[in-house]
Amino acid sequence: MSDIALRYLYETVMAGSMRAAGDRLGVAASSISRQVAQLELEYGMPLFERGRRTIQLTQAGELAIEHYRSLMASRESLSMRMEELREARTGMVSLGVGEGFLGPFFNQLIDRFHREHPQVQVLSTVTSSTAIVRSVLADEAHFGLVLYTPAEPNIRVRISVNEPLRVMVAPTHRLAGMARVSLADLVQHPICLGPEDFLIRQLLRTAEARQRLFLEPAIVINSIQAMRDLAATGSVTTVLPEFSARPEISDGRLLAIPLDETIDTVTVSLITRIGRQLESAPRRLLTAFESGMARWAATASR
């Protein structure tokens, strides 16, 4: 079934004759006649009632016109939806994010994006950095925020920010008055840490091996929120990047004390899969995160 033939049939009905349709379309009436005849041959039945002075469609012709109108309406709807996607008015964005990022930086970016694009669904999956890298490689997430720089050839780091680790203590804790805390200080007090597969725990293990001082956590838990809450009680300390506890630091529930200079920093990385072209809503949210992290990096360097 030719779209051109259906259009010629439609224009003939609208114009009242093949000659008038040809004038409107800028084609010869004979070309319109051949296309309509081809349609009739394809359908195996006439589309016009012959011998009338005006165009009169048969039942088959009515069905063909109905189909053409439905086809044009579907194409118009598709065009409008494509335009909405181009303008990021609709669609879905999927990203992976570590629990430690769930604070003012992340929330403000997501809230601003939602207010600007209320019809776009944002799907945020909170999981480990390793799982985020896997989901980005599998195209399950458009991009991700991880707490290290992945050594993965198919991952592109869009931007990264270095963040030093801090000892988090309540204002009433015995370490609260110290300007800097060493591993030797930490081993003297109960501490809450993540499990061995947490990046922060691995960084601490490296420092422990260098100094031959080993932390034995009183509490091991795989929730950064729980680590912050437990440290705020004053019964334990914990070690986190400062950005992970900004709300508690801002309202005075926690103090962030610098660690000994031998303790490494963590790298916050915004990642995508190499070769994946992000368009529309995913591209706009990715750009917002890049801009936000660039401001974050500028602040951290001062």
Side-chain angles (χ1 to χ4, degrees):
M1 185 189 305
S2 168
D3 285 355
I4 294 177
L6 281 172
R7 185 187 178 195
Y8 284 0
L9 173 65
Y10 176 80
E11 293 292 346
T12 296
V13 172
M14 293 298 102
S17 70
M18 291 184 180
R19 184 177 299 279
D23 291 341
R24 177 184 295 184
L25 295 171
V27 298
S30 58
S31 295
I32 294 178
S33 179
R34 281 195 301 273
Q35 290 287 342
V36 172
Q38 186 63 37
L39 273 181
E40 290 180 323
L41 181 62
E42 183 178 340
Y43 294 147
M45 62 186 77
L47 301 176
F48 294 119
E49 290 186 8
R50 305 302 191 218
R52 290 180 173 269
R53 298 185 62 182
T54 59
I55 293 293
Q56 184 68 43
L57 290 170
T58 63
Q59 188 173 1
E62 295 282 2
L63 287 175
I65 291 296
E66 180 183 343
H67 171 71
Y68 179 77
R69 284 174 172 154
S70 175
L71 183 64
M72 292 302 101
S74 295
R75 287 182 178 175
E76 182 179 358
S77 175
L78 176 61
S79 179
M80 290 174 63
R81 292 175 65 186
M82 289 295 187
E83 180 63 23
E84 288 176 346
L85 283 175
R86 279 195 296 272
E87 297 300 321
R89 291 196 294 270
T90 62
M92 186 272 288
V93 186
S94 175
L95 65 148
V97 59
E99 183 191 4
F101 296 103
L102 302 181
F105 169 77
F106 180 83
N107 295 338
Q108 289 168 12
L109 279 174
I110 295 297
D111 178 65
R112 185 181 304 115
F113 183 83
H114 169 69
R115 284 187 278 107
E116 294 174 353
H117 308 87
Q119 300 305 313
V120 175
Q121 181 186 42
V122 178
L123 176 61
S124 300
T125 302
V126 180
T127 185
S128 68
S129 290
T130 301
I132 292 168
V133 171
R134 285 199 300 265
S135 67
V136 169
L137 286 172
D139 289 346
E140 295 167 356
H142 291 105
F143 59 91
L145 273 173
V146 295
L147 205 57
Y148 70 113
T149 301
E152 165 58 56
N154 292 316
I155 286 290
R156 176 184 174 188
V157 176
R158 311 284 303 207
I159 187 171
S160 61
V161 181
N162 290 327
E163 279 278 317
L165 295 174
R166 295 286 188 252
V167 177
M168 302 293 171
V169 299
T172 56
H173 196 276
R174 290 169 58 191
L175 294 176
M178 300 186 67
R180 183 174 292 275
V181 175
S182 66
L183 279 180
D185 298 318
L186 281 179
V187 297
Q188 303 300 317
H189 302 277
I191 189 169
C192 174
L193 294 173
E196 292 288 349
D197 61 346
F198 268 38
L199 176 66
I200 295 170
R201 189 73 182 275
Q202 295 168 15
L203 293 174
L204 287 171
R205 282 297 188 205
T206 301
E208 292 168 43
R210 283 199 302 259
Q211 299 186 34
R212 298 186 180 277
L213 291 169
F214 298 96
L215 297 170
E216 295 296 336
I219 302 172
V220 176
I221 193 164
N222 66 346
S223 167
I224 290 177
Q225 179 63 62
M227 293 165 69
R228 297 193 303 251
D229 290 344
L230 287 166
T233 67
S235 62
V236 295
T237 65
T238 193
V239 177
L240 293 170
E242 187 169 335
F243 73 84
S244 295
R246 282 198 178 121
E248 292 82 0
I249 296 168
S250 297
D251 63 23
R253 284 184 290 156
L254 286 177
L255 301 177
I257 305 174
L259 267 165
D260 183 276
E261 64 276 2
T262 60
I263 306 296
D264 291 324
T265 62
V266 294
T267 302
V268 180
S269 298
L270 180 66
I271 62 170
T272 57
R273 179 178 65 78
I274 288 177
R276 188 176 191 185
Q277 299 298 316
L278 299 184
E279 300 296 339
S280 191
R283 175 178 53 80
R284 293 197 178 197
L285 185 55
L286 175 66
T287 299
F289 268 89
E290 286 179 317
S291 299
M293 289 184 66
R295 292 191 296 271
W296 176 0
T299 301
S301 65
R302 288 200 291 267

